[in-house]
Amino acid sequence: MIVVLLAFDRRKNYFPGLTALCLNASLPTTGAITFTIPNKVGTGGYAYAPLDPSPIGISFEFFVFPSYLTNVTATQQCLSNWKSLTVVWPPIRIGETTQDRAQYDSKTSAYVVYSVADAKDAPSVLTFGPKFMTLAGTYGGSVVVGLNRGKNNIDNMIAAAKVAVSEVKNLLAIEQNDWNIRVGSAVGKTNIIQAGNWNDAPPKWGASQLIATENATVKPYVRHYARHNYPGGTIQSLMTHSTISNNIHTFDTDIVAAQAIGKEYVFGETNSVSGGGAAGVSPTFGAGLWTMDYALRATYSNMSRTYFHHGTHLLAGASHLTVLDSGSTNYAAYATFDSKGLPLRVLLYISDYYAGSGTRTTQSFTLTGLTSATVRAKRLTAASATSRVDQGSPPSFGGQQFGNGSCAISGTETFETTFVSGGQASFSVKATEALLVYLQ
């Protein structure tokens, strides 16, 4: 499934949605780029990444997690939309800054207790009770729970971890940097710790360095290693395909180190810009395109799961992913394959920046190796890279969009049909636009 449809701004409590534009065939084009679709997984000289059943997830700030599930009505609708499309609930992670300020209080009947001078602020001190974990346990997908390391109170952490293990039926991991043995032993579980969660990029510190310090007693308690990543920058730099590819390659050594000892590697927390996002960057369509491309590139690089405030569509029902492009230009092409190893979908993306004025170029793609007489496609588009839902310019995916505030789907689903001749077909994609081609 292709796209980042649910970019979420926790400060404004909205999920940006989508609206359609038609392709203008008269727009300027450049020479066609040709990609040959492998007829089966493992062929064509490409590298292939196996896909986790739920490779893309959502990260919730610790102190507002209960509000998202109980007060923000769009949350359940968006998660339900996702589940309807992919058949599985997206994985969630509960943590970030306020996780390291939160003390467990077994006696409080509240989800979480804190006070702030302004509703947009994050509390410096907070407590949470058993009800917090009970609420997390109602979620249908896998859950990673981050617990307090900053206060250096391991007894309080163990008390919270025990409640997490007993109440969260789909608990995937407890987020930890150290104390792995004591916490794991206390809850009676191995393969339970999400270790790492570094902000500094490799090689300053990462999984390879941490693994080198761990002995055989510690490693069985670690389920996977995690990294935080916020690339930042302008809309144009953020969404540029080659920049995304280079950013993901930063973590190659870490991923290999984790795989070498049979562990997964995840982006435990990531988004465009840290600190809740940048007002002129994060809510835009260009940032949404970045999320799409970034999530796919990370998955291709054997990042098992990526926890965003968003969702994607190219991966639904797929078992493997490969990249057809070199990663060195503004033009991207991804292919997914079904459980039998046969081609399922191809995503074509043009990261050339279009700000809404002047000529909007188009790029022609030719796909070869097609076996059907026709193929269908859905277009992800908006008026420009700077389009924003909250400013009345929502993007669309296949003619449909998601309501701001409600996450309800509106519009008529629209497919573009292209004829195949001699096993090949051509497609036009505009600057700052993507096209999802269905091969089955």
Side-chain angles (χ1 to χ4, degrees):
M1 79 188 187
I2 158 181
V3 82
V4 177
L5 297 182
L6 311 179
F8 182 56
D9 188 328
R10 68 177 175 83
R11 298 169 302 167
K12 297 182 179 178
N13 288 341
Y14 67 76
F15 291 81
L18 306 176
T19 83
L21 292 172
C22 297
L23 175 65
N24 185 342
S26 66
L27 290 175
T29 62
T30 58
I33 298 173
T34 300
F35 293 110
T36 299
I37 302 169
N39 58 15
K40 197 171 181 65
V41 165
T43 64
Y46 297 105
Y48 292 82
L51 296 178
D52 184 271
S54 305
I56 311 300
I58 296 173
S59 172
F60 291 99
E61 176 66 43
F62 192 96
F63 83 102
V64 290
F65 166 71
S67 290
Y68 277 130
L69 260 64
T70 61
N71 295 330
V72 181
T73 56
T75 303
Q76 291 292 354
Q77 182 62 55
C78 284
L79 294 172
S80 179
N81 289 345
W82 201 333
K83 194 260 185 182
S84 296
L85 183 62
T86 65
V87 187
V88 293
W89 291 98
I92 66 171
R93 171 258 188 177
I94 307 165
E96 206 186 0
T97 304
T98 53
Q99 133 190 5
D100 277 341
R101 304 171 183 174
Q103 292 285 293
Y104 175 64
D105 181 358
S106 63
K107 297 177 181 175
T108 183
S109 61
Y111 293 119
V112 61
V113 179
Y114 63 90
S115 62
V116 290
D118 189 294
K120 297 188 295 295
D121 292 340
S124 58
V125 176
L126 65 150
T127 60
F128 65 99
K131 195 175 178 181
F132 185 100
M133 296 301 178
T134 302
L135 180 64
T138 65
Y139 183 63
S142 68
V143 181
V144 172
V145 177
L147 298 178
N148 190 337
R149 303 182 302 272
K151 300 293 185 181
N152 203 32
N153 186 340
I154 191 168
D155 292 332
N156 187 265
M157 174 183 286
I158 287 174
K162 287 181 176 179
V163 177
V165 169
S166 67
E167 294 295 315
V168 186
K169 61 182 182 299
N170 290 330
L171 183 67
L172 188 67
I174 295 171
E175 197 170 87
Q176 268 302 306
N177 254 346
D178 46 26
W179 300 348
N180 297 348
I181 298 174
R182 289 185 63 182
V183 174
S185 298
V187 300
K189 285 183 176 292
T190 56
N191 204 38
I192 191 65
I193 300 299
Q194 176 167 300
N197 303 301
W198 307 274
N199 287 315
D200 294 326
K204 184 175 182 180
W205 186 248
S208 56
Q209 289 81 9
L210 178 58
I211 290 169
T213 69
E214 293 178 328
N215 58 34
T217 305
V218 176
K219 290 174 183 175
Y221 289 101
V222 177
R223 192 192 191 285
H224 49 250
Y225 294 87
R227 163 69 60 180
H228 292 185
N229 189 39
Y230 290 89
T234 63
I235 301 173
Q236 183 171 4
S237 65
L238 187 71
M239 64 180 278
T240 299
H241 179 59
S242 58
T243 302
I244 291 169
S245 179
N246 290 335
N247 177 248
I248 296 298
H249 278 310
T250 304
F251 308 100
D252 288 349
T253 301
D254 262 14
I255 294 170
V256 170
Q259 290 182 318
I261 61 169
K263 303 294 183 180
E264 296 177 340
Y265 194 85
V266 307
F267 271 148
E269 178 186 316
T270 191
N271 215 318
S272 55
V273 184
S274 63
V281 176
S282 301
T284 66
F285 178 59
L289 290 172
W290 163 80
T291 311
M292 173 194 70
D293 196 9
Y294 175 79
L296 294 173
R297 198 78 197 190
T299 303
Y300 169 71
S301 294
N302 289 298
M303 196 81 65
S304 294
R305 282 172 304 284
T306 302
Y307 292 89
F308 294 87
H309 299 297
H310 85 73
T312 138
H313 298 261
L314 174 67
L315 305 179
S319 64
H320 286 80
L321 169 73
T322 192
V323 173
L324 305 178
D325 67 273
S326 65
S328 60
T329 72
N330 283 0
Y331 312 121
Y334 296 91
T336 57
F337 300 80
D338 65 16
S339 59
K340 297 178 181 179
L342 301 177
L344 185 62
R345 305 180 190 94
V346 171
L347 174 68
L348 304 174
Y349 169 48
I350 303 298
S351 66
D352 290 341
Y353 182 73
Y354 180 67
S357 61
T359 300
R360 188 174 191 175
T361 60
T362 66
Q363 174 62 49
S364 177
F365 288 94
T366 299
L367 297 181
T368 67
L370 301 173
T371 58
S372 59
T374 61
V375 292
R376 299 188 306 165
K378 290 172 72 173
R379 192 171 299 272
L380 174 66
T381 191
S384 73
T386 59
S387 294
R388 291 174 51 161
V389 176
D390 62 329
Q391 293 180 354
S393 184
S396 70
F397 176 54
Q400 294 181 304
Q401 60 189 57
F402 291 83
N404 184 26
S406 69
C407 213
I409 300 174
S410 62
T412 302
E413 185 177 33
T414 303
F415 288 89
E416 303 173 20
T417 300
T418 300
F419 289 97
V420 177
S421 177
Q424 70 179 40
S426 295
F427 308 86
S428 292
V429 184
K430 289 186 288 187
T432 310
E433 190 176 74
L435 186 74
L436 180 64
V437 182
Y438 294 78
L439 305 179
Q440 296 184 19

